[in-house]
Amino acid sequence: MSNQGQDNKPQTKAPDHSLEHIGYLRRVRKEKISIRIIQFMILVMAFGLWEICANAKIVDPFITSQPTRIIQTIIRLYEEGVLFQHIGVTCLEAVVGFVLGTLLGTIIAIILWWSEFLSKVLEPYLVVLNSLPKIALGPVFIVWIGAGPAAIIVMTLAISLIVTVLEVLNGFLAIDEEKIKLVQTFGGTKSQILTKVLLPASSPTFINALKINIGLSWVGVIVGEFLVSKAGLGYLIVYGGQVFKLDLVMTSVIILGVAATVMYQGVVYLEKFLVKNKV
């Protein structure tokens, strides 16, 4: 009977979080909101000051343009039906170059980690290729591949690939040797060390490589479009500079900044997902 009475007693569930922890989470949330608000205010103030200085002729709006003229240029490009065409061409080239550079760079880094002999053989060549000004190879790529999106993507790869290889490879080499020896002690193969130790432990390095690749990919795409493209934001910048339509130049630069920010935020969300799921 006494046991039945005990079983019938309501079970009290322990709180998931303490009051101190809840207060800490609220403070963190408020801090994030405050940061976003301040960032937005700085952006609004910068564009507002830009507009005021242009209207007051403190700066020459013909040279620096101004926000209202940029908005008018965006509307005009939209009405002409070419706005999303140019944005789409540049974004597609940037995404393809970014993905290929990241994948190929990671694969090459894995191969170099797998073969220490090959890594030592290729190390000086990687250093030289990394220091080489790849932009100077643009005309060579155009002659080899032809004037088109393929040459732009190859230019993007040339700029981002070696950096990715070195970044990921250095991340592999920085992994604690004790963890690798532990797996080897239990009879782990090299492929198991790669999949169970190196890749999971190198996720921060991989995320950093992605963040670096974003900027390098956009540099490669814009440089390629400067040289060869007949469409895209880089083409609009070159065309606007040639015909002194600097509103078009500044509009393209602003759109590039927005596109690069969106791409960067995608990597930030990927990083949060990996941390949340402890991948």
Side-chain angles (χ1 to χ4, degrees):
M1 294 293 292
S2 60
N3 290 336
Q4 292 178 353
Q6 290 177 355
D7 293 340
N8 292 331
K9 288 182 180 180
Q11 299 293 326
T12 57
K13 184 179 180 181
D16 294 335
H17 302 287
S18 65
L19 294 177
E20 291 81 4
H21 185 64
I22 293 174
Y24 170 75
L25 293 177
R26 288 177 178 173
R27 288 194 299 271
V28 171
R29 190 177 300 111
K30 288 181 180 179
E31 183 180 2
K32 289 182 178 179
I33 294 174
S34 299
I35 290 173
R36 294 300 182 188
I37 292 175
I38 293 174
Q39 288 174 338
F40 179 75
M41 290 176 61
I42 291 175
L43 187 64
V44 172
M45 290 174 60
F47 278 97
L49 183 63
W50 183 9
E51 181 71 22
I52 292 172
C53 290
N55 288 333
K57 305 301 181 182
I58 298 175
V59 296
D60 189 348
F62 175 77
I63 297 176
T64 63
S65 189
Q66 61 189 104
T68 52
R69 296 174 66 163
I70 290 175
I71 293 173
Q72 292 171 0
T73 303
I74 292 175
I75 294 173
R76 178 173 56 80
L77 291 173
Y78 175 77
E79 291 175 346
E80 293 174 357
V82 298
L83 176 63
F84 294 113
Q85 174 190 353
H86 291 295
I87 295 175
V89 167
T90 300
C91 289
L92 178 61
E93 292 166 347
V95 170
V96 171
F98 171 76
V99 172
L100 288 178
T102 302
L103 290 178
L104 291 177
T106 303
I107 292 171
I108 294 173
I110 291 173
I111 294 172
L112 295 178
W113 170 83
W114 194 283
S115 174
E116 185 177 356
F117 175 79
L118 185 62
S119 177
K120 291 180 179 179
V121 170
L122 296 181
E123 181 181 4
Y125 296 100
L126 291 174
V127 173
V128 171
L129 289 174
N130 187 46
S131 60
L132 186 69
K134 290 83 174 178
I135 296 176
L137 297 176
V140 178
F141 293 147
I142 294 172
V143 173
W144 287 353
I145 302 170
I152 298 173
I153 294 173
V154 170
M155 172 65 72
T156 304
L157 283 175
I159 292 177
S160 64
L161 182 62
I162 304 301
V163 175
T164 304
V165 172
L166 295 175
E167 180 77 13
V168 177
L169 181 59
N170 288 333
F172 287 166
L173 298 177
I175 300 299
D176 189 0
E177 288 290 336
E178 297 299 324
K179 296 180 180 179
I180 298 176
K181 290 180 180 179
L182 180 62
V183 176
Q184 291 174 337
T185 302
F186 285 96
T189 62
K190 202 155 189 177
S191 61
Q192 290 174 328
I193 294 174
L194 175 65
T195 56
K196 304 297 183 181
V197 179
L198 256 68
L199 292 180
S202 299
S203 57
T205 302
F206 181 70
I207 292 297
N208 287 334
L210 290 178
K211 291 179 179 179
I212 294 172
N213 264 358
I214 290 174
L216 296 177
S217 298
W218 283 103
V219 170
V221 167
I222 297 304
V223 169
E225 289 185 348
F226 281 176
L227 295 174
V228 68
S229 181
K230 296 180 180 179
L233 297 174
Y235 165 78
L236 290 181
I237 292 174
V238 172
Y239 172 76
Q242 290 174 343
V243 298
F244 295 98
K245 292 184 177 180
L246 299 184
D247 293 335
L248 188 59
V249 174
M250 295 303 298
T251 300
S252 302
V253 171
I254 295 296
I255 295 174
L256 277 174
V258 173
T261 302
V262 171
M263 198 169 175
Y264 183 85
Q265 286 301 315
V267 174
V268 170
Y269 287 130
L270 175 62
E271 181 180 17
K272 291 180 179 178
F273 173 79
L274 294 177
V275 172
K276 182 178 179 181
N277 292 275
K278 297 180 180 179
V279 177

